[in-house]
Structure formats: C-alpha cells, structure tokens
Amino acid sequence: MARGAAPGIGDGTRRAPPPLESDPMSTVLSAVAWPYANGPRHIGHVAGFGVPSDVFSRYMRMAGHDVLMVSGTDEHGTPILVEADKEGISARELADRNNRLIVEDLVALGLSYDLFTRTTTRNHYQVVQDMFVAVRDNGYMIEQTTSGAISPSTGRTLPDRYIEGTCPICGAGGARGDQCDNCGNQLDPTDLIDPVSRINGETPEFIETSHWFLDLPALAAELGRWLDEREATGLWRPNVIRFSQNILEDIKPRAMTRDIDWGIPVPGWEDQPNKRLYVWFDAVIGYLSASIEWARRSGDPEAWRRWWNDPETLAYYFMGKDNIVFHSQIWPAEMIAQNGEGDKGGEPGRFGELTLPTEVVSSEFLTMEGKKFSSSKGIVIYVRDVLERYQPDALRYFISAAGPENHDADFTWVDFVSRTNNELVAGWGNLVNRTAAMIAKNVGEIPAAGELEDVDTALLDQIRTGFTTVGKLIESHRQRAAIAEIMRLVGEANAYVSRTEPFKMKAEEQRPRLLTVLHVLAQAVTDLNTMLAPFLPHSANAVEKALGGDREIAPMPRIDEVEDLDGGPGYPIITGDYTAVPAWEHRPVTVGQTVVKPTPIFVKLDPAVAEQELERLEAEASDEA
C-alpha cells in the first residue's frame, strides 16, 4: 500500500481511496460512536452504532484487511452533572459506574473492539488540548462574546441541547438549542421562540460570556469539496450525503467551549476553571485519542499513524442519524483546520495530516412497539436486560435482519420471538442440529465424499458464490441484504436435505450415497457458518464445535483492568486478539473429525414471551409515572 503525506484538499489533488476489492490489504479504521455515560445503553443505541460496526469489522478482518476498531464512553457535559446531582454523587463516580456497565454490556454482546476506552483518561485530555491548540494556532478558533443560557434557580450553564422551544425557521415545536430535528437546521438557543429548560421547565436567562468558536465559514469550501468528492464515489447513503451538504448552506461559527466545571480545561484559559471544552469538540477527537492509546498500549506508540496519516486508509464512522452533523461537519472541519487546509492556510499540528472519513455510516432510528425510546417514560429495553434473558446472537440477528439500516425500524417482542423461532431456530439451528445429529448417529465423524451428483454440486456452488455476494453487500453496508442472502442459502441447504432424504438411506448399498450427502451437508454448514460468523459470533463458535472443530472462528472481546498511561485512575477497557479469524472463503471440512450428538445451538422461545415482556414494559412505565 502506498505511504506518504496526503495531498492538500484545497489544491484539488486529494483523491478518494480505491474500492476495497482493488486492494486486498487495505488499512481500515472502524470509528464507532461513543456511548454517553449518563446511564446504561438501550437496544436502540447498539442497533445504530454497535452491531453494524462489529459485523463490518469482523468481516473486514476475515477479508484480509488491517482493521482498527476504536471507541469508548463519552463522559463530559451537563447531562452527566444533572444525573449525578439527581443521585447525590460526583460526576466522576457516575461516569465510573456507567462506564463499567456499558463495557460489560458491549462485551456480552460480542463487540470486537481493539480498544474501547473513555474520555476521562489523561491521554484523551492531552490529545484534545493539542488538537485545540493546533486549530487555534492555524487561525480557525476565534474568540467571541455571545449570549449564554443559565438556569435562574441553580446558576448553572444550560447547554444548547437542554433548551427547547419553537423553531424560528419551520415552526416545529420541540426544537433544541443546537438543532431542529424537524428541518435539520442548526440553531442557537437565542433563536428559539419561547425557550425553556428541559431540566425543570423554567425560562433560561441569557448572559454575555466569551467563548472560542470554530470558524466553520473559513472551512466551508474545503468541507464542500470533500463532501462533493464523497458524493461522487456513490458510497454514502443518500440521506446522509444530502443532509451533510444541506447544512453547509447556512454554516456559521460554532462555540467549542462552555461555561461548565466538568470537562477538559481550555488551553490558555487555565485561570478560568469554569470554562471547559465543549463535550462534542472533545468526544469526536476520541477516535484519534483512542487510536493513540491503543498504539501506546501495543508497545509501538506511533502505530496509530498507519490509520490516520495514510491517504489510502479507509475510515468508516458508525452512528445513529442524530449524530451526522458532528461526523460530517464538525469532526472533518476540526481535521481540516488541524491540517492547515482551510481558507486561512496553516501548518499541520503534531498529528500530521489527518485522513478524513471515507464514509459516515449512519443508521436511522429504532423504535420500540411503535414508540420512540425514552428512558424517562419507561419506553426502553436496556441491552443488559435483553442479554440476561435471551441469547446475545438472537438480539444481534434481529438488529442485522430487521434493524434501522436505511429507514426507521420498529422492535416488537412479537417480531423478536418470531424471527428467533422461525429463522434462527427452525432455519439455521435446525440445519446445524440435523446435520450434526445424522453424522454422529451414522458415522461419528465427518465422512469423505464419494462421487458428487448434480444436486450436490448445485448446492456447494451456490454457497461458494455466496462468499462474493455477501461480502460485497457487507462492504457496502447493506447488512440486511447480506444476512437475507445467507439465510436464503440456509433455506437451500434445508431443501437439499428434503430432496436427498439421507434419513431414509438405511440399506447397506445406499451407504456410499449417505456418506456423500452427509459430507456435502457438513461442508455447507461449515461455509455458511463462516459467512454468519460476523453476524452471530457466539453461535459461530458453537457450530464449529458441533462439527468437531476445536478453534474459535469468531474471537471474542475481553475486559482488561488497566492503569491510566499517564498516572490517572485505572479503568476497564475492551480489547481482544482477533488475528485467528478464518479467511472469508470456502474452508474444506476435515474428513475424520469426530462429531458427537449435538445440543441445540439456539433456544426456542415460548410465544408467551412477547406478552410477558409487554406486561413488564407497562409495569415499568407505570413505575416511572
């Protein structure tokens, strides 16, 4: 792969990375949205950032690419303070508790982070401050006096997102002080008609205060050129690229500091302890700081540059659609400013020329039983609750097969039970169990194949072709179509059993044919399991064992307790060794491998589960009320 400095954006020479299939050893950054640590995460969150990024990252490793998957908990900002005050604990205590809860949930779900860290590390503080200094010194931070909103009852600053009112542009109610979700326009709290605090409903007071603003207008031309280039690739989802281009039409400077005492101190304003960097300035820099922390922990402190300074790196950012503006405007603008590539020029900071996102992979919203998720109203299903009662791959399957990939999707317990029973259990689980059971009963090991008939080769050829078809779908972030194609092939394998009827081959003269059919089935299950491994890693390892294998074909993440690299408090991280994954290709079965009577891979759910879960939700909603 070519190395060296990236050409400048402004001179028109920056080029898009080549398509994946043209470079079998691409360097791939999977930058996964940072879950906010004001509470545990619900299934809507992991449907947007968690499962899609993990499926993609696992597949890319299997396809031979060098993947770095990073994220962590986002722990600064007013919502943390509000929740901590409510519970009578410090912001740090709340962040520590929820960081651990989120880490445990994401590991239980099987998300294969190379590093999942947090924004309260000293490493992160230093990287963010260095980024701020580079952007400021290149002239893209401007100091302005502005109106700041405070709570009359507490004197505490109210962040933009905690003020709502009527949008002055489209007239929609419930617009926030930073953006109207109805029309997509960016706003300031002072723009809102009849603004009120979302915390206690009081009318905020506006006072004059000084802040550093990111000079987005001076970066707009470069942002526009970059977005036009991204549109030309045809890779971005249409709603994401259109939204990203539209917000450039009314671009204006955006405050990057806040009047708050919980966050990263502002370089140069050390004498003002109640001024901190805006949580969304610091959070998106987490992708870079996490990569640097990963490199430092790996023993090669400069290793992160392979994913950040190489113009051919493929960088994918995974999130829900409410975070598009920060990943297609704010973060790229920060990188352009750090690189010194805006209208004011400048020199790259200590991070060198940073590579901009290849694609912002934004999912739509997941609703629950037709309603928007709301923890405060009891309309919520926490990841931990699902995983305590159901198999993690059942949840992963639902999100992959029916999640909010390119349009809003609804989670219902009836659908969850139906997909688990009719697709996982009756489809894939049935194929695995009947194959292993017939081999165990009739042979006790994977048999050699005799002469193949047309019906045999037809099935095997279809499945081998599936590697190409499914792989291309995952590369283009069409995971619903990818898993649908795999399940279609599962259906073909089940139909093969019905056509060949190996369970009826009792006579001795039929034994050669029986052994051939069982060999074909073992091969079909093995290849289908390889394809399903990115989607269903827990069961992929169980299926491998059911056919006598002794390896983990879907390496799982682990929690390590670590010390802060720069002397701060210790904390848990998610990491893992994912180098042992099999290649994304046909893998011949091992003839003679012992197969014993299997146990079911998936748990069939009682249809009454749906009604029970709905009753639980109603009870919890009543408690909240």
Side-chain angles (χ1 to χ4, degrees):
M1 182 182 296
R3 302 291 181 207
I9 294 179
D11 62 12
T13 61
R14 184 184 292 274
R15 60 190 177 86
L20 283 167
E21 59 188 336
S22 72
D23 185 351
M25 286 298 291
S26 293
T27 303
V28 177
L29 176 70
S30 285
V32 188
W34 291 57
Y36 198 55
N38 63 332
R41 299 299 86 187
H42 57 63
I43 63 171
H45 292 129
V46 296
F49 75 80
V51 173
S53 63
D54 188 57
V55 171
F56 178 78
S57 298
R58 286 180 177 277
Y59 161 74
M60 294 299 280
R61 294 186 188 111
M62 295 173 74
H65 304 294
D66 198 354
V67 176
L68 180 63
M69 179 177 172
V70 294
S71 187
T73 46
D74 176 8
E75 301 180 3
H76 294 125
T78 298
I80 296 286
L81 288 173
V82 170
E83 185 61 30
D85 284 351
K86 188 187 302 182
E87 297 190 26
I89 58 178
S90 70
R92 179 71 195 215
E93 288 173 319
L94 180 77
D96 285 347
R97 185 191 71 196
N98 289 330
N99 164 262
R100 188 169 294 276
L101 286 173
I102 292 169
V103 162
E104 291 172 352
D105 287 352
L106 300 185
V107 166
L109 195 55
L111 306 187
S112 58
Y113 294 99
D114 291 284
L115 180 68
F116 184 92
T117 180
R118 59 194 304 188
T119 59
T120 47
T121 69
R122 293 188 179 181
N123 171 78
H124 179 70
Y125 272 47
Q126 188 63 58
V127 172
V128 170
Q129 290 175 328
D130 288 351
M131 187 81 171
F132 174 86
V133 169
V135 173
R136 183 195 64 193
D137 290 355
N138 276 338
Y140 298 102
M141 284 290 179
I142 51 178
E143 188 176 354
Q144 293 183 351
T145 298
T146 184
S147 291
I150 63 169
S151 164
S153 62
T154 66
R156 177 174 287 164
T157 298
L158 289 170
D160 299 348
R161 284 187 166 231
Y162 270 68
I163 304 170
E164 65 181 17
T166 300
C167 176
I169 298 172
C170 70
R176 299 189 310 268
D178 61 347
Q179 180 177 307
C180 174
D181 287 339
N182 184 63
C183 65
N185 284 289
Q186 294 181 62
L187 302 171
D188 287 324
T190 52
D191 296 332
L192 295 174
I193 301 170
D194 299 325
V196 295
S197 166
R198 293 175 58 194
I199 298 172
N200 56 20
E202 65 186 2
T203 300
E205 291 182 5
F206 292 94
I207 61 170
E208 281 196 349
T209 182
S210 293
H211 284 297
W212 285 106
F213 283 69
L214 181 62
D215 191 359
L216 288 169
L219 300 161
E222 309 307 322
L223 279 170
R225 274 191 276 270
W226 169 68
L227 286 170
D228 288 346
E229 172 195 278
R230 295 292 86 214
E231 182 183 31
T233 68
L235 297 175
W236 285 36
R237 291 172 179 168
N239 61 316
V240 179
I241 193 68
R242 284 196 301 267
F243 177 83
S244 302
Q245 291 171 322
N246 288 341
I247 60 179
L248 284 177
E249 295 177 3
D250 187 31
I251 199 167
K252 53 188 175 182
R254 187 155 186 164
M256 289 292 123
T257 56
R258 288 292 187 270
D259 292 302
I260 190 174
D261 58 4
W262 173 243
I264 298 177
V266 183
W269 282 0
E270 287 82 4
D271 60 338
Q272 301 184 62
N274 289 327
K275 296 252 187 218
R276 301 295 171 107
L277 290 168
Y278 176 37
V279 63
W280 263 110
F281 178 82
D282 100 68
V284 290
I285 299 173
Y287 302 116
L288 176 59
S289 70
S291 301
I292 292 173
E293 181 183 344
W294 168 84
R296 293 177 66 189
R297 293 191 183 281
S298 75
D300 181 1
E302 297 298 305
W304 62 272
R305 293 189 182 276
R306 293 183 55 222
W307 285 269
W308 288 92
N309 292 151
D310 188 335
E312 293 188 4
T313 288
L314 299 163
Y316 298 90
Y317 289 74
F318 295 85
M319 76 218 60
K321 66 180 177 182
D322 53 336
N323 286 339
I324 293 175
V325 65
F326 295 101
H327 292 84
S328 67
Q329 182 184 94
I330 303 300
W331 178 224
E334 290 176 23
M335 287 194 278
I336 291 170
Q338 195 274 167
N339 293 350
E341 295 173 321
D343 292 350
K344 299 177 181 179
E347 296 294 327
R350 82 169 180 92
F351 305 116
E353 291 201 21
L354 298 173
T355 301
L356 272 62
T358 302
E359 183 174 357
V360 173
V361 187
S362 170
S363 298
E364 300 295 299
F365 288 147
L366 184 71
T367 55
M368 189 189 76
E369 302 289 347
K371 299 176 182 178
K372 186 176 180 180
F373 277 95
S374 172
S375 300
S376 62
K377 297 178 182 178
I379 306 171
V380 66
I381 310 172
Y382 292 112
V383 173
R384 176 157 299 206
D385 292 339
V386 174
L387 299 186
E388 283 177 349
R389 298 194 286 272
Y390 308 103
Q391 293 177 292
D393 279 359
L395 177 58
R396 290 180 64 113
Y397 180 80
F398 182 92
I399 290 171
S400 298
E405 185 175 277
N406 49 22
H407 56 76
D408 291 350
D410 192 39
F411 177 93
T412 70
W413 282 109
V414 169
D415 196 18
F416 177 75
V417 171
S418 174
R419 286 185 178 275
T420 298
N421 289 348
N422 298 333
E423 297 171 27
L424 277 185
V425 176
W428 176 229
N430 180 50
L431 176 64
V432 172
N433 285 350
R434 72 203 300 197
T435 297
M438 287 189 291
I439 293 174
K441 178 181 178 181
N442 292 284
V443 194
E445 62 184 35
I446 294 180
E451 185 176 350
L452 296 180
E453 297 182 1
D454 288 347
V455 67
D456 308 322
T457 55
L459 176 66
L460 295 176
D461 288 348
Q462 275 197 77
I463 292 174
R464 288 190 192 185
T465 300
F467 281 103
T468 300
T469 304
V470 173
K472 287 182 177 179
L473 289 170
I474 298 176
E475 283 182 4
S476 59
H477 308 292
R478 297 177 60 198
Q479 294 181 10
R480 288 178 61 150
I483 201 166
E485 174 62 13
I486 300 171
M487 295 306 288
R488 184 190 72 79
L489 294 171
V490 168
E492 291 294 328
N494 275 315
Y496 171 83
V497 177
S498 298
R499 284 194 291 269
T500 57
E501 298 182 319
F503 43 83
K504 292 184 178 180
M505 297 179 186
K506 308 292 185 181
E508 184 61 29
E509 62 269 20
Q510 293 177 302
R511 188 162 180 81
R513 180 60 187 154
L514 170 64
L515 298 181
T516 298
V517 170
L518 294 180
H519 177 94
V520 168
L521 282 172
Q523 186 63 67
V525 168
T526 296
D527 285 345
L528 290 168
N529 193 42
T530 299
M531 279 186 251
L532 281 167
F535 298 94
L536 311 175
H538 302 83
S539 58
N541 292 327
V543 172
E544 178 74 5
K545 291 179 181 177
L547 290 183
D550 59 1
R551 65 182 298 195
E552 189 177 64
I553 70 165
M556 302 303 287
R558 67 176 189 270
I559 300 174
D560 283 356
E561 300 291 338
V562 300
E563 296 298 320
D564 189 292
L565 291 168
D566 302 299
Y571 52 96
I573 62 170
I574 303 175
T575 188
D577 181 1
Y578 311 114
T579 59
V581 297
W584 183 262
E585 62 187 11
H586 164 72
R587 178 166 52 102
V589 295
T590 302
V591 172
Q593 192 164 270
T594 301
V595 178
V596 300
K597 183 179 179 180
T599 57
I601 302 294
F602 300 104
V603 176
K604 185 175 183 179
L605 302 179
D606 188 322
V609 160
E611 186 175 345
Q612 293 165 3
E613 290 290 352
L614 288 172
E615 290 174 355
R616 182 182 284 111
L617 285 173
E618 290 176 5
E620 291 172 352
S622 297
D623 291 342
E624 291 291 338

